[in-house]
Amino acid sequence: MKRLSLFTAVCFGLFLTACTQEQVVISKDDLRKEFVSLNQALRSLDTSESPLAEIPFGENYLKSRHQLLKRGMAQMEDSELNYLMISERFPERYLPWPIQSDLDSVVVSWPESKQNEWFTFVLARLKNAQESKIRLSSLEQRYLVQFLSKWSLASAEKVELLNYLNDYKPRTRLGMDQLPNGSEWYQSKLNYFGGSVEKPLNWMQLLTIKLGESDEVKAIALDYQNIKTSLTEQFLALRCKPQDGVDWQYHYVHLVNTATNCSFEMTKVERQYWLTLMLLDVGMHYQGWTTQLAEQYLRSRIDGDDEIIEAILQHVSLYPASVFVFWGSL
């Protein structure tokens, strides 16, 4: 009986210890710092930091990211955390070299052994992805081929990856619709950035009504050639105080909170411009517009040269639905 009581007491003590460990409070600021540290290779805010030991989108990375999201969601309600947790259901992990990341500048600073480890990992992931009918877009393929071709490193691992990408057959369209569960993934992005659970076709109808028979508008002044920073983030930076977030893609700026907590009035040209990009966004990512059709639509609405038109298509392709943070301001 005494032994049983002692055993029960020990187990109860261990249980309390485990509970205490699970309930360690983490502040939003500390959570953001941990995400910044984890994602150094994807978005390097401090170039003096030592290179991250874990491979981005490797198993250790994915496990660490998931645990961070769980810790954050257990202690605070935040739409961004919920959005990122939902995103884990979709094929992001199979496309480990997002061209809007800082990986191209970070990887070249790694020791050659780690670079080769990265090339081998990317090649394996892309092959696994292909078996599941998950493919890069032509934009992503072209960017990576150009980057690797310019790199003087001549290791067997780099050459093998480059040869694979040269022979690679990308998706025929720039949108998400050709990815497995791409429509559901896009819907989750629309829900988050748009702040409303509307089906894409409903969005298309709303946008068509809003745009009406408006005249062609000039492209607003943004850095279109910078694909590392979305047009949405660039515009908000000109008007609003950035709110801290945990998503590396937007430089740890919480786009939804930034737009929501910022009071500004758009000009008529700006309203027409963002409405045009929203409609383009739905067309590309949900309706499966070809690049030719998307370009044709954009030219009919935006007064811009060829470089700007092409750059807008690239931004809309790389940052799906993010333009919808402006819906509440229109």
Side-chain angles (χ1 to χ4, degrees), residues 121-183:
F121 170 76
V122 172
L123 180 60
R125 272 294 164 88
L126 290 178
K127 287 181 175 179
N128 289 338
Q130 198 164 348
E131 292 174 3
S132 301
K133 298 181 180 180
I134 302 169
R135 293 178 176 272
L136 297 168
S137 69
S138 58
L139 168 64
E140 294 165 322
Q141 179 210 20
R142 185 170 64 251
Y143 183 97
L144 292 177
V145 166
Q146 290 175 351
F147 171 70
L148 290 170
S149 298
K150 293 177 182 177
W151 197 351
S152 59
L153 179 69
S155 70
E157 290 84 354
K158 191 209 87 168
V159 171
E160 186 179 9
L161 175 59
L162 179 57
N163 289 340
Y164 177 81
L165 286 169
N166 273 319
D167 296 332
Y168 189 86
K169 292 184 178 179
R171 305 196 307 269
T172 57
R173 299 190 290 273
L174 293 178
M176 300 175 66
D177 66 296
Q178 286 185 307
L179 291 169
N181 301 316
S183 296

Side-chain angles (χ1 to χ4, degrees), residues 21-28 69-78 81:
Q21 289 175 343
E22 289 179 1
Q23 294 177 3
V24 173
V25 175
I26 182 170
S27 69
K28 193 164 186 178
L69 288 171
K70 282 182 63 177
R71 286 174 65 193
M73 291 183 67
Q75 297 178 41
M76 62 191 81
E77 288 189 16
D78 187 275
L81 294 176

Side-chain angles (χ1 to χ4, degrees), residues 203-245:
W203 277 116
M204 187 68 82
Q205 292 172 356
L206 289 169
L207 291 165
T208 302
I209 293 171
K210 280 264 190 183
L211 277 165
E213 298 297 327
S214 60
D215 297 328
E216 182 182 65
V217 298
K218 285 189 175 295
I220 59 180
L222 297 169
D223 185 2
Y224 290 94
Q225 302 310 312
N226 176 17
I227 64 169
K228 307 293 187 182
T229 305
S230 73
L231 299 178
T232 307
E233 184 184 345
Q234 290 184 37
F235 186 80
L236 284 173
L238 297 172
R239 302 294 185 89
C240 310
K241 179 181 179 181
Q243 303 290 308
D244 285 347

Side-chain angles (χ1 to χ4, degrees), residues 151-306:
W151 197 351
S152 59
L153 179 69
S155 70
E157 290 84 354
K158 191 209 87 168
V159 171
E160 186 179 9
L161 175 59
L162 179 57
N163 289 340
Y164 177 81
L165 286 169
N166 273 319
D167 296 332
Y168 189 86
K169 292 184 178 179
R171 305 196 307 269
T172 57
R173 299 190 290 273
L174 293 178
M176 300 175 66
D177 66 296
Q178 286 185 307
L179 291 169
N181 301 316
S183 296
E184 291 81 0
W185 195 3
Y186 181 60
Q187 180 71 69
S188 73
K189 291 176 178 290
L190 274 178
N191 296 347
Y192 171 61
F193 289 111
S196 175
V197 184
E198 293 282 352
K199 293 182 178 179
L201 289 179
N202 291 344
W203 277 116
M204 187 68 82
Q205 292 172 356
L206 289 169
L207 291 165
T208 302
I209 293 171
K210 280 264 190 183
L211 277 165
E213 298 297 327
S214 60
D215 297 328
E216 182 182 65
V217 298
K218 285 189 175 295
I220 59 180
L222 297 169
D223 185 2
Y224 290 94
Q225 302 310 312
N226 176 17
I227 64 169
K228 307 293 187 182
T229 305
S230 73
L231 299 178
T232 307
E233 184 184 345
Q234 290 184 37
F235 186 80
L236 284 173
L238 297 172
R239 302 294 185 89
C240 310
K241 179 181 179 181
Q243 303 290 308
D244 285 347
V246 298
D247 190 348
W248 67 265
Q249 290 201 61
Y250 300 101
H251 296 80
Y252 306 102
V253 173
H254 196 310
L255 293 190
V256 173
N257 284 354
T258 300
T260 302
N261 294 305
C262 182
S263 178
F264 64 91
E265 187 172 343
M266 290 193 187
T267 65
K268 180 181 178 181
V269 168
E270 290 169 343
R271 286 197 298 273
Q272 296 297 315
Y273 175 84
W274 291 114
L275 285 168
T276 296
L277 264 60
M278 288 178 193
L279 198 147
L280 174 69
D281 198 285
V282 178
M284 286 175 60
H285 292 292
Y286 183 77
Q287 292 197 315
W289 287 4
T290 63
T291 303
Q292 182 179 7
L293 179 58
E295 183 178 328
Q296 181 181 348
Y297 168 73
L298 201 52
R299 289 187 186 281
S300 73
R301 305 294 312 214
I302 302 291
D303 178 15
D305 59 28
D306 290 349

